[in-house]
Amino acid sequence: MSEPVASVPAPLAAPRTDLTDGEWHRLHPATPLLRGGIFMVAIIGFIFANLRERLIDLFIGQENHGGDPIGEIYQRGATGWALLIIAGVLIVILVVFYLSWRMHTFRVNGEIVEVRSGLIFRSNRKARLDRVQGVNLARPLFPRLFGAARLEITVAGQDGNVQLAYLGSKLADDLRRDILHLASGLRQARQPADTPDVLAPTPGDDAAPAPLGDSAAPTFIGPPTAHSALGDFATARYHEFRAPDLDPEAVPPESVVRIPPGRLIGSVVLSGFTVFLLLAAIGLIVSVIAGSSGWVLVAVLPGLIGSVGYYFSRVTKTLRFSIAGTSDGVRIGFGLLSTSSQTLPPGRIHAIEVSQPILWRRFGWWQISINTASQASGRSSTTPTSSIILPVGSLADVAKVLELVLPGFETDTHRALVENGMLGGRRRDAGVADFYSNAPARAVWLRPFSWWRTGWAVSGNVALIRRGVLARDLILVPLARMQGVRISQGPVRRRLRLASADLLTVAGPVTASLRVIDVDEAVVLLKWMSTGAVRSARADTSHQWSRTEATPPTKGATE
């Protein structure tokens, strides 16, 4: 008899940083400036607005200083007092920022990630590592100029995420890997106290690692000059802008999916928002022709202008998309100016939806969304976990992504089941094996257009639901993650001997529901899902994915 899985000891791994020692540490020194960037922009905007009259005079040569606060201060002889007040305000802001940084500390040990913050009103947030749903690493444009990144640990539960904003870019990469190792049950082997720290530079070692907070600080032989320091800083920032992820050991060099820029732009243009804009533009044209365009122009025109920013944001945030398997789960990266990298450990995905809007059907494009427990985190998350793991892809791209997020769901039978759920249906494939238990013909009274594509199936430890004819949907729910099953029947469905079924998962954009199903099939579905969920949950070991050799690595994992 083979040895039980639970008896396999967790392997040892050397930590990448010294921040998982359980001691309190501080964030990047530039954190006050980075977190107060919006406040500083507001101050600059206020000054600019009050100097507008002098700017007009500068560019067009006409004096028009009426109501200018600068002119009033000068005329009253209060220039000195004004400068003194401005200096005092700046000093107060700097002192508050400094004290806020000093009081914002964090620690990481084998059980929790804890953050303490607040100058007047103190707060304390903890994230248990055994409840970690993912680790997100974001590099907004402004912090990237300082070599800083924002690390967020997403956990199951309401308002429970813990954010470390900001850390050095390379340091954030290493800490993310250490946290994922600890969450996986991988014990970390630390050196004895009398052994030099592997992260500390040693005299004469030109290859010593960079100090904390510096993502790519070089080692100089002799005193560095200001010119060389500035050049190395610019070089480091350039390499960071080129690479969405700074940890090449954790992510394979090639993504399993490549999204051409033309396809990405086309998917954004062929969206529901574009349809709304077209309707608004038609309404504006009609109002102009009718001669009542005044209030319509005020109401619609700003939205039409703002739509340009919407399209630009959607495209730039999705450019350089990548998805690949790692030893710690699925790594998803995206972004051009501001980049984001999201790691989903094994067993953290509760539901998957493969969808196709009607405008995409001509091109064969699909999108994949997921439910994770961290999406219920609410207001604590300024970098919410993205629910879209494939913005737009072909049928082959969908198969590759499903192999990543559903390990083992990759046989020819599984592929045929998925393809039939995406494209098939009883009306279209009459006389061909459908694999799905479909709604009866009498369901046409409640679903006149889509009843023939409404069905369900179970394969291994995954439940599948097919629905929709204008917008096609295929829902996949790992039975080990399912929260329950609900069968309901109202008076109309009772009359037609129909019912509705819901597979309950954590809250999110994916809803696993069947609006019409034969009442006898509903009983069978209830039995299959209930017994399958219990059996799969008992056999599931993905929550401690490094404790056992019985759990196969994620597809595409690095060695």
Side-chain angles (χ1 to χ4, degrees):
M1 183 178 296
S2 61
E3 186 178 2
V5 170
S7 64
V8 177
L12 293 174
R16 300 288 295 272
T17 72
D18 61 352
L19 299 181
T20 58
D21 54 4
E23 301 296 329
W24 292 99
H25 301 275
R26 290 192 176 90
L27 300 172
H28 194 285
T31 295
L33 175 62
L34 300 178
R35 301 187 69 179
I38 297 178
F39 178 71
M40 299 301 294
V41 170
I43 293 179
I44 295 174
F46 175 79
I47 295 175
F48 180 84
N50 284 278
L51 290 176
R52 61 188 182 278
E53 304 296 344
R54 293 185 178 273
L55 292 175
I56 293 174
D57 181 23
L58 177 64
F59 285 102
I60 65 177
Q62 295 181 3
E63 290 194 9
N64 184 14
H65 298 168
D68 188 353
I70 303 298
E72 291 293 329
I73 293 174
Y74 180 78
Q75 291 180 4
R76 295 176 181 272
T79 304
W81 286 105
L83 294 177
L84 185 62
I85 292 174
I86 293 174
V89 171
L90 292 177
I91 292 174
V92 170
I93 292 174
L94 292 176
V95 170
V96 171
F97 278 1
Y98 173 76
L99 293 178
S100 175
W101 173 76
R102 292 279 301 181
M103 301 298 290
H104 198 148
T105 56
F106 71 96
R107 66 173 179 175
V108 182
N109 56 33
E111 297 180 356
I112 63 170
V113 178
E114 185 176 4
V115 177
R116 298 186 307 190
S117 62
L119 186 59
I120 299 177
F121 300 99
R122 300 286 290 166
S123 67
N124 186 287
R125 302 184 67 86
K126 296 180 181 180
R128 287 174 46 186
L129 293 180
D130 60 353
R131 296 174 63 86
V132 168
Q133 302 296 305
V135 181
N136 304 332
L137 184 60
R139 294 184 175 93
L141 177 60
F142 189 54
R144 289 179 73 188
L145 300 177
F146 290 83
R150 179 172 60 230
L151 189 68
E152 184 171 25
I153 300 92
T154 61
V155 298
Q158 181 69 21
D159 199 24
N161 293 4
V162 170
Q163 187 180 115
L164 302 178
Y166 290 87
L167 297 169
S169 291
K170 182 62 169 61
L171 188 64
D173 269 328
D174 294 339
L175 182 58
R176 171 178 61 181
R177 192 170 187 182
D178 284 347
I179 290 175
L180 287 170
H181 283 181
L182 291 171
S184 71
L186 192 68
R187 295 183 293 117
Q188 304 222 344
R190 294 198 168 274
Q191 296 178 335
D194 56 349
T195 303
D197 191 345
V198 295
L199 293 178
T202 56
D205 185 6
D206 293 343
L212 299 181
D214 192 351
S215 60
T219 302
F220 295 97
I221 300 177
T225 63
H227 176 74
S228 62
L230 182 61
D232 288 310
F233 179 84
T235 301
R237 300 293 81 76
Y238 170 74
H239 288 301
E240 289 181 14
F241 269 82
R242 288 187 59 192
D245 204 300
L246 302 183
D247 191 358
E249 298 181 10
V251 177
E254 293 293 334
S255 171
V256 300
V257 171
R258 295 288 183 183
I259 302 179
R263 181 195 298 175
L264 176 61
I265 296 173
S267 67
V268 174
V269 172
L270 297 176
S271 63
F273 183 74
T274 301
V275 176
F276 169 77
L277 284 182
L278 291 176
L279 294 177
I282 292 173
L284 181 61
I285 294 174
V286 171
S287 64
V288 170
I289 296 176
S292 58
S293 61
W295 64 272
V296 177
L297 191 64
V298 173
V300 176
L301 189 58
L304 295 177
I305 297 175
S307 63
V308 178
Y310 168 81
Y311 285 121
F312 179 79
S313 176
R314 282 286 304 274
V315 172
T316 56
K317 286 183 178 179
T318 318
L319 282 173
R320 298 168 69 186
F321 171 84
S322 65
I323 180 169
T326 73
S327 57
D328 291 313
V330 179
R331 180 72 56 81
I332 305 167
F334 48 87
L336 179 62
L337 302 178
S338 297
T339 65
S340 180
S341 178
Q342 174 183 348
T343 303
L344 298 173
R348 268 51 177 186
I349 297 177
H350 291 246
I352 305 164
E353 180 181 32
V354 184
S355 60
Q356 184 186 58
I358 189 173
L359 295 179
W360 290 8
R361 186 173 302 179
R362 171 66 178 80
F363 306 95
W365 296 339
W366 298 83
Q367 185 178 84
I368 300 182
S369 306
I370 60 172
N371 281 358
T372 61
S374 60
Q375 289 166 344
S377 59
R379 58 183 175 83
S380 69
S381 175
T382 59
T383 310
T385 301
S386 175
S387 62
I388 299 177
I389 62 173
L390 180 61
V392 56
S394 63
L395 191 64
D397 295 335
V398 170
K400 294 176 182 178
V401 173
L402 291 182
E403 290 178 11
L404 286 179
V405 299
L406 293 174
F409 199 80
E410 55 189 16
T411 66
D412 292 338
T413 301
H414 293 145
R415 295 189 187 98
L417 192 64
V418 169
E419 183 174 350
N420 196 268
M422 296 166 62
L423 302 175
R426 184 164 57 186
R427 176 180 295 179
R428 177 176 176 177
D429 300 320
V432 180
D434 188 44
F435 304 115
Y436 285 80
S437 298
N438 295 293
R442 59 182 179 275
V444 69
W445 294 102
L446 298 179
R447 290 291 185 271
F449 301 107
S450 62
W451 66 270
W452 53 276
R453 261 190 53 85
T454 302
W456 67 279
V458 176
S459 178
N461 297 323
V462 178
L464 301 94
I465 291 178
R466 178 182 65 191
R467 66 191 184 195
V469 63
L470 296 180
R472 295 170 175 171
D473 293 324
L474 174 66
I475 313 297
L476 301 97
V477 179
L479 294 179
R481 307 273 82 82
M482 195 170 63
Q483 309 290 310
V485 184
R486 179 174 59 217
I487 305 296
S488 57
Q489 188 182 50
V492 177
R493 285 179 173 83
R494 188 179 302 117
R495 179 76 175 177
L496 297 172
R497 289 189 53 77
L498 298 174
S500 63
D502 297 277
L503 308 186
L504 305 180
T505 68
V506 297
V510 182
T511 303
S513 62
L514 278 172
R515 295 299 89 192
V516 287
I517 183 175
D518 185 85
V519 66
D520 295 329
E521 282 289 327
V523 175
V524 176
L525 180 146
L526 178 63
K527 181 179 178 180
W528 272 75
M529 300 300 178
S530 301
T531 57
V534 173
R535 181 178 62 252
S536 300
R538 287 177 177 175
D540 180 58
T541 58
S542 60
H543 59 290
Q544 293 276 290
W545 61 93
S546 291
R547 284 192 179 275
T548 173
E549 297 176 354
T551 302
T554 304
K555 181 72 174 177
T558 55
E559 296 295 329

